[in-house]
Amino acid sequence: QVQFVESGGGLVQPGGSLRLSCAASGFTFRIYPIHWYRQSPGKQRELVATTYHTGGTFYADHAKGRFTIFRDNAKNTAYLQMNSLKPEDTGVYFCNVPYGGSLRPWGRGTQVTVSS
């Protein structure tokens, strides 16, 4: 079955950086796009960034210029490099794949807290 293990979150001060990792299994990783989502306190889960299997990327407005998504197909792992972090970036970050016509069940995510 499709599974995700997110890691790399933690507590960081405003302006700091984190690199999140998404280790995926249960599907042919290299031929699918991978999404990073986040769920912040009091908000709906929202798309942060996408890495397409063709090499392109997508970023939500709040991520442009600060976040970089990339992937290592040999390791079945996607990453989200997060720089210049702001308190509003606080939330639980998840990865997922549009496999079988829809997103798969969510993993447990990794908590990111940006605070002084």
Side-chain angles (χ1 to χ4, degrees):
Q1 69 274 37
V2 174
Q3 292 187 331
F4 307 99
V5 179
E6 298 98 340
S7 62
L11 175 64
V12 65
Q13 294 184 341
S17 297
L18 288 170
R19 180 176 289 183
L20 309 184
S21 297
C22 168
S25 61
F27 64 101
T28 306
F29 181 88
R30 63 180 173 84
I31 63 172
Y32 283 90
I34 300 294
H35 304 294
W36 278 100
Y37 286 80
R38 72 184 182 190
Q39 188 161 25
S40 301
K43 294 183 178 180
Q44 184 81 351
R45 200 192 315 266
E46 63 180 347
L47 180 64
V48 176
T50 301
T51 172
Y52 295 100
H53 64 288
T54 52
T57 57
F58 167 83
Y59 297 95
D61 286 343
H62 59 75
K64 290 178 181 176
R66 299 189 299 125
F67 296 178
T68 302
I69 188 169
F70 59 102
R71 64 199 293 161
D72 186 339
N73 289 334
K75 296 181 178 180
N76 284 4
T77 301
Y79 303 90
L80 186 68
Q81 177 68 45
M82 308 167 67
N83 299 326
S84 302
L85 284 162
K86 305 174 181 178
E88 52 262 45
D89 295 318
T90 294
V92 182
Y93 284 70
F94 305 85
C95 55
N96 214 315
V97 61
Y99 181 81
S102 64
L103 297 177
R104 297 293 89 199
W106 302 100
R108 72 181 185 91
T110 185
Q111 175 72 44
V112 171
T113 303
V114 185
S115 176
S116 299

PDB file of all heavy atoms in Angstrom, residues 16-47:
ATOM      1  N   GLY A  16      14.525  31.359  10.190  1.00  0.00           N
ATOM      2  CA  GLY A  16      15.302  30.140  10.132  1.00  0.00           C
ATOM      3  C   GLY A  16      14.886  29.230   8.995  1.00  0.00           C
ATOM      4  O   GLY A  16      14.014  29.557   8.190  1.00  0.00           O
ATOM      5  N   SER A  17      15.524  28.058   8.953  1.00  0.00           N
ATOM      6  CA  SER A  17      15.317  27.112   7.864  1.00  0.00           C
ATOM      7  C   SER A  17      15.102  25.705   8.396  1.00  0.00           C
ATOM      8  O   SER A  17      15.601  25.344   9.457  1.00  0.00           O
ATOM      9  CB  SER A  17      16.527  27.094   6.925  1.00  0.00           C
ATOM     10  OG  SER A  17      16.727  28.348   6.302  1.00  0.00           O
ATOM     11  N   LEU A  18      14.366  24.918   7.628  1.00  0.00           N
ATOM     12  CA  LEU A  18      14.193  23.498   7.862  1.00  0.00           C
ATOM     13  C   LEU A  18      14.153  22.789   6.520  1.00  0.00           C
ATOM     14  O   LEU A  18      13.720  23.364   5.525  1.00  0.00           O
ATOM     15  CB  LEU A  18      12.888  23.205   8.610  1.00  0.00           C
ATOM     16  CG  LEU A  18      12.791  23.577  10.082  1.00  0.00           C
ATOM     17  CD1 LEU A  18      11.347  23.422  10.555  1.00  0.00           C
ATOM     18  CD2 LEU A  18      13.717  22.708  10.921  1.00  0.00           C
ATOM     19  N   ARG A  19      14.581  21.538   6.526  1.00  0.00           N
ATOM     20  CA  ARG A  19      14.414  20.691   5.355  1.00  0.00           C
ATOM     21  C   ARG A  19      13.559  19.494   5.743  1.00  0.00           C
ATOM     22  O   ARG A  19      13.957  18.693   6.593  1.00  0.00           O
ATOM     23  CB  ARG A  19      15.743  20.214   4.794  1.00  0.00           C
ATOM     24  CG  ARG A  19      15.581  19.320   3.554  1.00  0.00           C
ATOM     25  CD  ARG A  19      16.911  18.917   2.941  1.00  0.00           C
ATOM     26  NE  ARG A  19      17.557  20.057   2.299  1.00  0.00           N
ATOM     27  CZ  ARG A  19      18.710  19.974   1.639  1.00  0.00           C
ATOM     28  NH1 ARG A  19      19.342  18.811   1.540  1.00  0.00           N
ATOM     29  NH2 ARG A  19      19.230  21.065   1.090  1.00  0.00           N
ATOM     30  N   LEU A  20      12.400  19.382   5.110  1.00  0.00           N
ATOM     31  CA  LEU A  20      11.501  18.273   5.347  1.00  0.00           C
ATOM     32  C   LEU A  20      11.764  17.160   4.342  1.00  0.00           C
ATOM     33  O   LEU A  20      12.094  17.419   3.184  1.00  0.00           O
ATOM     34  CB  LEU A  20      10.044  18.719   5.231  1.00  0.00           C
ATOM     35  CG  LEU A  20       9.630  19.954   6.051  1.00  0.00           C
ATOM     36  CD1 LEU A  20       8.136  20.191   5.886  1.00  0.00           C
ATOM     37  CD2 LEU A  20      10.010  19.790   7.514  1.00  0.00           C
ATOM     38  N   SER A  21      11.592  15.930   4.790  1.00  0.00           N
ATOM     39  CA  SER A  21      11.757  14.766   3.936  1.00  0.00           C
ATOM     40  C   SER A  21      10.475  13.956   3.906  1.00  0.00           C
ATOM     41  O   SER A  21       9.755  13.881   4.902  1.00  0.00           O
ATOM     42  CB  SER A  21      12.897  13.876   4.440  1.00  0.00           C
ATOM     43  OG  SER A  21      14.134  14.547   4.399  1.00  0.00           O
ATOM     44  N   CYS A  22      10.207  13.358   2.765  1.00  0.00           N
ATOM     45  CA  CYS A  22       9.050  12.485   2.580  1.00  0.00           C
ATOM     46  C   CYS A  22       9.533  11.197   1.953  1.00  0.00           C
ATOM     47  O   CYS A  22       9.844  11.162   0.753  1.00  0.00           O
ATOM     48  CB  CYS A  22       8.013  13.168   1.694  1.00  0.00           C
ATOM     49  SG  CYS A  22       6.682  12.090   1.105  1.00  0.00           S
ATOM     50  N   ALA A  23       9.623  10.153   2.749  1.00  0.00           N
ATOM     51  CA  ALA A  23       9.995   8.833   2.256  1.00  0.00           C
ATOM     52  C   ALA A  23       8.731   8.085   1.861  1.00  0.00           C
ATOM     53  O   ALA A  23       7.863   7.846   2.702  1.00  0.00           O
ATOM     54  CB  ALA A  23      10.768   8.071   3.321  1.00  0.00           C
ATOM     55  N   ALA A  24       8.620   7.728   0.584  1.00  0.00           N
ATOM     56  CA  ALA A  24       7.404   7.131   0.046  1.00  0.00           C
ATOM     57  C   ALA A  24       7.633   5.677  -0.340  1.00  0.00           C
ATOM     58  O   ALA A  24       8.748   5.268  -0.679  1.00  0.00           O
ATOM     59  CB  ALA A  24       6.911   7.914  -1.165  1.00  0.00           C
ATOM     60  N   SER A  25       6.554   4.907  -0.328  1.00  0.00           N
ATOM     61  CA  SER A  25       6.623   3.512  -0.726  1.00  0.00           C
ATOM     62  C   SER A  25       5.256   3.059  -1.220  1.00  0.00           C
ATOM     63  O   SER A  25       4.241   3.711  -0.974  1.00  0.00           O
ATOM     64  CB  SER A  25       7.098   2.625   0.439  1.00  0.00           C
ATOM     65  OG  SER A  25       6.191   2.694   1.528  1.00  0.00           O
ATOM     66  N   GLY A  26       5.235   1.930  -1.934  1.00  0.00           N
ATOM     67  CA  GLY A  26       3.987   1.336  -2.372  1.00  0.00           C
ATOM     68  C   GLY A  26       3.547   1.712  -3.773  1.00  0.00           C
ATOM     69  O   GLY A  26       2.460   1.305  -4.203  1.00  0.00           O
ATOM     70  N   PHE A  27       4.356   2.463  -4.489  1.00  0.00           N
ATOM     71  CA  PHE A  27       4.051   2.847  -5.864  1.00  0.00           C
ATOM     72  C   PHE A  27       5.347   3.195  -6.571  1.00  0.00           C
ATOM     73  O   PHE A  27       6.397   3.323  -5.933  1.00  0.00           O
ATOM     74  CB  PHE A  27       3.054   4.005  -5.917  1.00  0.00           C
ATOM     75  CG  PHE A  27       3.572   5.284  -5.327  1.00  0.00           C
ATOM     76  CD1 PHE A  27       4.042   6.302  -6.140  1.00  0.00           C
ATOM     77  CD2 PHE A  27       3.587   5.478  -3.958  1.00  0.00           C
ATOM     78  CE1 PHE A  27       4.513   7.492  -5.608  1.00  0.00           C
ATOM     79  CE2 PHE A  27       4.059   6.662  -3.409  1.00  0.00           C
ATOM     80  CZ  PHE A  27       4.522   7.670  -4.234  1.00  0.00           C
ATOM     81  N   THR A  28       5.256   3.337  -7.894  1.00  0.00           N
ATOM     82  CA  THR A  28       6.443   3.655  -8.687  1.00  0.00           C
ATOM     83  C   THR A  28       6.704   5.153  -8.587  1.00  0.00           C
ATOM     84  O   THR A  28       6.202   5.952  -9.378  1.00  0.00           O
ATOM     85  CB  THR A  28       6.255   3.210 -10.135  1.00  0.00           C
ATOM     86  OG1 THR A  28       5.897   1.826 -10.168  1.00  0.00           O
ATOM     87  CG2 THR A  28       7.559   3.386 -10.914  1.00  0.00           C
ATOM     88  N   PHE A  29       7.511   5.505  -7.628  1.00  0.00           N
ATOM     89  CA  PHE A  29       7.712   6.900  -7.241  1.00  0.00           C
ATOM     90  C   PHE A  29       8.092   7.789  -8.419  1.00  0.00           C
ATOM     91  O   PHE A  29       7.570   8.896  -8.571  1.00  0.00           O
ATOM     92  CB  PHE A  29       8.793   6.941  -6.156  1.00  0.00           C
ATOM     93  CG  PHE A  29       9.099   8.301  -5.621  1.00  0.00           C
ATOM     94  CD1 PHE A  29       8.381   8.813  -4.561  1.00  0.00           C
ATOM     95  CD2 PHE A  29      10.124   9.057  -6.164  1.00  0.00           C
ATOM     96  CE1 PHE A  29       8.669  10.062  -4.046  1.00  0.00           C
ATOM     97  CE2 PHE A  29      10.427  10.312  -5.662  1.00  0.00           C
ATOM     98  CZ  PHE A  29       9.689  10.820  -4.595  1.00  0.00           C
ATOM     99  N   ARG A  30       8.984   7.334  -9.256  1.00  0.00           N
ATOM    100  CA  ARG A  30       9.590   8.172 -10.285  1.00  0.00           C
ATOM    101  C   ARG A  30       8.626   8.653 -11.362  1.00  0.00           C
ATOM    102  O   ARG A  30       8.962   9.593 -12.093  1.00  0.00           O
ATOM    103  CB  ARG A  30      10.753   7.434 -10.940  1.00  0.00           C
ATOM    104  CG  ARG A  30      10.342   6.169 -11.675  1.00  0.00           C
ATOM    105  CD  ARG A  30      11.550   5.476 -12.316  1.00  0.00           C
ATOM    106  NE  ARG A  30      11.176   4.174 -12.880  1.00  0.00           N
ATOM    107  CZ  ARG A  30      10.646   4.016 -14.081  1.00  0.00           C
ATOM    108  NH1 ARG A  30      10.393   5.057 -14.854  1.00  0.00           N
ATOM    109  NH2 ARG A  30      10.347   2.792 -14.508  1.00  0.00           N
ATOM    110  N   ILE A  31       7.455   8.043 -11.488  1.00  0.00           N
ATOM    111  CA  ILE A  31       6.513   8.427 -12.542  1.00  0.00           C
ATOM    112  C   ILE A  31       5.288   9.169 -12.010  1.00  0.00           C
ATOM    113  O   ILE A  31       4.312   9.356 -12.745  1.00  0.00           O
ATOM    114  CB  ILE A  31       6.071   7.211 -13.379  1.00  0.00           C
ATOM    115  CG1 ILE A  31       5.312   6.189 -12.537  1.00  0.00           C
ATOM    116  CG2 ILE A  31       7.276   6.569 -14.059  1.00  0.00           C
ATOM    117  CD1 ILE A  31       4.687   5.075 -13.368  1.00  0.00           C
ATOM    118  N   TYR A  32       5.345   9.621 -10.765  1.00  0.00           N
ATOM    119  CA  TYR A  32       4.220  10.356 -10.196  1.00  0.00           C
ATOM    120  C   TYR A  32       4.661  11.699  -9.628  1.00  0.00           C
ATOM    121  O   TYR A  32       5.760  11.827  -9.084  1.00  0.00           O
ATOM    122  CB  TYR A  32       3.557   9.559  -9.074  1.00  0.00           C
ATOM    123  CG  TYR A  32       2.679   8.441  -9.575  1.00  0.00           C
ATOM    124  CD1 TYR A  32       3.197   7.165  -9.785  1.00  0.00           C
ATOM    125  CD2 TYR A  32       1.336   8.662  -9.849  1.00  0.00           C
ATOM    126  CE1 TYR A  32       2.397   6.142 -10.256  1.00  0.00           C
ATOM    127  CE2 TYR A  32       0.532   7.640 -10.320  1.00  0.00           C
ATOM    128  CZ  TYR A  32       1.064   6.385 -10.519  1.00  0.00           C
ATOM    129  OH  TYR A  32       0.268   5.363 -10.984  1.00  0.00           O
ATOM    130  N   PRO A  33       3.789  12.698  -9.730  1.00  0.00           N
ATOM    131  CA  PRO A  33       4.049  13.938  -8.998  1.00  0.00           C
ATOM    132  C   PRO A  33       3.873  13.721  -7.498  1.00  0.00           C
ATOM    133  O   PRO A  33       3.118  12.845  -7.067  1.00  0.00           O
ATOM    134  CB  PRO A  33       2.982  14.903  -9.537  1.00  0.00           C
ATOM    135  CG  PRO A  33       1.871  14.010  -9.999  1.00  0.00           C
ATOM    136  CD  PRO A  33       2.519  12.742 -10.480  1.00  0.00           C
ATOM    137  N   ILE A  34       4.568  14.523  -6.721  1.00  0.00           N
ATOM    138  CA  ILE A  34       4.475  14.473  -5.270  1.00  0.00           C
ATOM    139  C   ILE A  34       4.111  15.862  -4.768  1.00  0.00           C
ATOM    140  O   ILE A  34       4.723  16.861  -5.177  1.00  0.00           O
ATOM    141  CB  ILE A  34       5.791  14.009  -4.625  1.00  0.00           C
ATOM    142  CG1 ILE A  34       6.179  12.609  -5.119  1.00  0.00           C
ATOM    143  CG2 ILE A  34       5.676  14.031  -3.106  1.00  0.00           C
ATOM    144  CD1 ILE A  34       5.217  11.518  -4.693  1.00  0.00           C
ATOM    145  N   HIS A  35       3.127  15.914  -3.883  1.00  0.00           N
ATOM    146  CA  HIS A  35       2.678  17.168  -3.285  1.00  0.00           C
ATOM    147  C   HIS A  35       3.121  17.269  -1.841  1.00  0.00           C
ATOM    148  O   HIS A  35       3.124  16.280  -1.109  1.00  0.00           O
ATOM    149  CB  HIS A  35       1.148  17.265  -3.283  1.00  0.00           C
ATOM    150  CG  HIS A  35       0.498  17.121  -4.620  1.00  0.00           C
ATOM    151  ND1 HIS A  35       0.659  18.045  -5.626  1.00  0.00           N
ATOM    152  CD2 HIS A  35      -0.329  16.166  -5.102  1.00  0.00           C
ATOM    153  CE1 HIS A  35      -0.057  17.666  -6.682  1.00  0.00           C
ATOM    154  NE2 HIS A  35      -0.671  16.536  -6.384  1.00  0.00           N
ATOM    155  N   TRP A  36       3.433  18.491  -1.423  1.00  0.00           N
ATOM    156  CA  TRP A  36       3.516  18.836  -0.013  1.00  0.00           C
ATOM    157  C   TRP A  36       2.302  19.697   0.341  1.00  0.00           C
ATOM    158  O   TRP A  36       2.015  20.677  -0.349  1.00  0.00           O
ATOM    159  CB  TRP A  36       4.790  19.612   0.314  1.00  0.00           C
ATOM    160  CG  TRP A  36       5.997  18.760   0.507  1.00  0.00           C
ATOM    161  CD1 TRP A  36       6.994  18.522  -0.384  1.00  0.00           C
ATOM    162  CD2 TRP A  36       6.356  18.047   1.706  1.00  0.00           C
ATOM    163  NE1 TRP A  36       7.953  17.704   0.161  1.00  0.00           N
ATOM    164  CE2 TRP A  36       7.587  17.396   1.447  1.00  0.00           C
ATOM    165  CE3 TRP A  36       5.762  17.897   2.962  1.00  0.00           C
ATOM    166  CZ2 TRP A  36       8.232  16.608   2.402  1.00  0.00           C
ATOM    167  CZ3 TRP A  36       6.400  17.110   3.902  1.00  0.00           C
ATOM    168  CH2 TRP A  36       7.616  16.481   3.618  1.00  0.00           C
ATOM    169  N   TYR A  37       1.610  19.310   1.399  1.00  0.00           N
ATOM    170  CA  TYR A  37       0.508  20.071   1.969  1.00  0.00           C
ATOM    171  C   TYR A  37       0.859  20.486   3.387  1.00  0.00           C
ATOM    172  O   TYR A  37       1.771  19.920   4.009  1.00  0.00           O
ATOM    173  CB  TYR A  37      -0.766  19.232   2.030  1.00  0.00           C
ATOM    174  CG  TYR A  37      -1.470  19.003   0.709  1.00  0.00           C
ATOM    175  CD1 TYR A  37      -1.028  18.045  -0.188  1.00  0.00           C
ATOM    176  CD2 TYR A  37      -2.610  19.731   0.383  1.00  0.00           C
ATOM    177  CE1 TYR A  37      -1.692  17.824  -1.385  1.00  0.00           C
ATOM    178  CE2 TYR A  37      -3.281  19.507  -0.808  1.00  0.00           C
ATOM    179  CZ  TYR A  37      -2.819  18.555  -1.685  1.00  0.00           C
ATOM    180  OH  TYR A  37      -3.490  18.338  -2.868  1.00  0.00           O
ATOM    181  N   ARG A  38       0.120  21.446   3.888  1.00  0.00           N
ATOM    182  CA  ARG A  38       0.231  21.770   5.302  1.00  0.00           C
ATOM    183  C   ARG A  38      -1.142  22.090   5.878  1.00  0.00           C
ATOM    184  O   ARG A  38      -2.043  22.508   5.160  1.00  0.00           O
ATOM    185  CB  ARG A  38       1.178  22.948   5.541  1.00  0.00           C
ATOM    186  CG  ARG A  38       0.634  24.309   5.117  1.00  0.00           C
ATOM    187  CD  ARG A  38       1.680  25.382   5.317  1.00  0.00           C
ATOM    188  NE  ARG A  38       1.190  26.708   4.970  1.00  0.00           N
ATOM    189  CZ  ARG A  38       1.959  27.781   4.880  1.00  0.00           C
ATOM    190  NH1 ARG A  38       3.257  27.692   5.106  1.00  0.00           N
ATOM    191  NH2 ARG A  38       1.420  28.959   4.556  1.00  0.00           N
ATOM    192  N   GLN A  39      -1.260  21.892   7.165  1.00  0.00           N
ATOM    193  CA  GLN A  39      -2.466  22.257   7.885  1.00  0.00           C
ATOM    194  C   GLN A  39      -2.056  23.102   9.081  1.00  0.00           C
ATOM    195  O   GLN A  39      -1.419  22.597  10.015  1.00  0.00           O
ATOM    196  CB  GLN A  39      -3.261  21.035   8.333  1.00  0.00           C
ATOM    197  CG  GLN A  39      -4.619  21.388   8.907  1.00  0.00           C
ATOM    198  CD  GLN A  39      -5.578  20.219   8.927  1.00  0.00           C
ATOM    199  OE1 GLN A  39      -5.160  19.060   8.954  1.00  0.00           O
ATOM    200  NE2 GLN A  39      -6.858  20.507   8.898  1.00  0.00           N
ATOM    201  N   SER A  40      -2.406  24.370   9.022  1.00  0.00           N
ATOM    202  CA  SER A  40      -2.059  25.318  10.064  1.00  0.00           C
ATOM    203  C   SER A  40      -3.220  25.458  11.035  1.00  0.00           C
ATOM    204  O   SER A  40      -4.375  25.180  10.683  1.00  0.00           O
ATOM    205  CB  SER A  40      -1.719  26.675   9.452  1.00  0.00           C
ATOM    206  OG  SER A  40      -0.632  26.562   8.555  1.00  0.00           O
ATOM    207  N   PRO A  41      -2.944  25.906  12.254  1.00  0.00           N
ATOM    208  CA  PRO A  41      -4.020  26.057  13.239  1.00  0.00           C
ATOM    209  C   PRO A  41      -5.154  26.928  12.723  1.00  0.00           C
ATOM    210  O   PRO A  41      -4.925  28.041  12.235  1.00  0.00           O
ATOM    211  CB  PRO A  41      -3.317  26.710  14.431  1.00  0.00           C
ATOM    212  CG  PRO A  41      -1.892  26.277  14.303  1.00  0.00           C
ATOM    213  CD  PRO A  41      -1.626  26.240  12.819  1.00  0.00           C
ATOM    214  N   GLY A  42      -6.367  26.406  12.804  1.00  0.00           N
ATOM    215  CA  GLY A  42      -7.540  27.150  12.386  1.00  0.00           C
ATOM    216  C   GLY A  42      -7.754  27.254  10.896  1.00  0.00           C
ATOM    217  O   GLY A  42      -8.643  27.997  10.462  1.00  0.00           O
ATOM    218  N   LYS A  43      -6.966  26.533  10.109  1.00  0.00           N
ATOM    219  CA  LYS A  43      -7.075  26.625   8.666  1.00  0.00           C
ATOM    220  C   LYS A  43      -7.280  25.255   8.034  1.00  0.00           C
ATOM    221  O   LYS A  43      -6.945  24.223   8.608  1.00  0.00           O
ATOM    222  CB  LYS A  43      -5.821  27.261   8.066  1.00  0.00           C
ATOM    223  CG  LYS A  43      -5.597  28.710   8.446  1.00  0.00           C
ATOM    224  CD  LYS A  43      -4.376  29.268   7.735  1.00  0.00           C
ATOM    225  CE  LYS A  43      -4.163  30.729   8.059  1.00  0.00           C
ATOM    226  NZ  LYS A  43      -2.967  31.279   7.363  1.00  0.00           N
ATOM    227  N   GLN A  44      -7.816  25.275   6.826  1.00  0.00           N
ATOM    228  CA  GLN A  44      -7.961  24.068   6.025  1.00  0.00           C
ATOM    229  C   GLN A  44      -6.595  23.605   5.527  1.00  0.00           C
ATOM    230  O   GLN A  44      -5.678  24.412   5.342  1.00  0.00           O
ATOM    231  CB  GLN A  44      -8.890  24.351   4.844  1.00  0.00           C
ATOM    232  CG  GLN A  44      -9.214  23.152   3.976  1.00  0.00           C
ATOM    233  CD  GLN A  44     -10.297  22.282   4.563  1.00  0.00           C
ATOM    234  OE1 GLN A  44     -10.710  22.465   5.701  1.00  0.00           O
ATOM    235  NE2 GLN A  44     -10.758  21.316   3.789  1.00  0.00           N
ATOM    236  N   ARG A  45      -6.463  22.323   5.322  1.00  0.00           N
ATOM    237  CA  ARG A  45      -5.246  21.806   4.713  1.00  0.00           C
ATOM    238  C   ARG A  45      -5.068  22.429   3.328  1.00  0.00           C
ATOM    239  O   ARG A  45      -6.010  22.507   2.539  1.00  0.00           O
ATOM    240  CB  ARG A  45      -5.338  20.281   4.592  1.00  0.00           C
ATOM    241  CG  ARG A  45      -3.996  19.599   4.425  1.00  0.00           C
ATOM    242  CD  ARG A  45      -4.146  18.134   4.025  1.00  0.00           C
ATOM    243  NE  ARG A  45      -5.149  17.430   4.788  1.00  0.00           N
ATOM    244  CZ  ARG A  45      -4.924  16.717   5.894  1.00  0.00           C
ATOM    245  NH1 ARG A  45      -3.685  16.599   6.366  1.00  0.00           N
ATOM    246  NH2 ARG A  45      -5.918  16.109   6.512  1.00  0.00           N
ATOM    247  N   GLU A  46      -3.853  22.872   3.011  1.00  0.00           N
ATOM    248  CA  GLU A  46      -3.610  23.573   1.767  1.00  0.00           C
ATOM    249  C   GLU A  46      -2.350  23.062   1.086  1.00  0.00           C
ATOM    250  O   GLU A  46      -1.397  22.615   1.731  1.00  0.00           O
ATOM    251  CB  GLU A  46      -3.483  25.085   2.003  1.00  0.00           C
ATOM    252  CG  GLU A  46      -2.312  25.474   2.887  1.00  0.00           C
ATOM    253  CD  GLU A  46      -2.207  26.968   3.117  1.00  0.00           C
ATOM    254  OE1 GLU A  46      -2.882  27.737   2.402  1.00  0.00           O
ATOM    255  OE2 GLU A  46      -1.449  27.372   4.020  1.00  0.00           O
ATOM    256  N   LEU A  47      -2.353  23.155  -0.231  1.00  0.00           N
ATOM    257  CA  LEU A  47      -1.201  22.750  -1.020  1.00  0.00           C
ATOM    258  C   LEU A  47      -0.083  23.769  -0.869  1.00  0.00           C
ATOM    259  O   LEU A  47      -0.306  24.974  -0.970  1.00  0.00           O
ATOM    260  CB  LEU A  47      -1.603  22.621  -2.487  1.00  0.00           C
ATOM    261  CG  LEU A  47      -0.506  22.202  -3.466  1.00  0.00           C
ATOM    262  CD1 LEU A  47      -0.014  20.792  -3.158  1.00  0.00           C
ATOM    263  CD2 LEU A  47      -1.021  22.284  -4.899  1.00  0.00           C
TER     264      LEU A  47
END
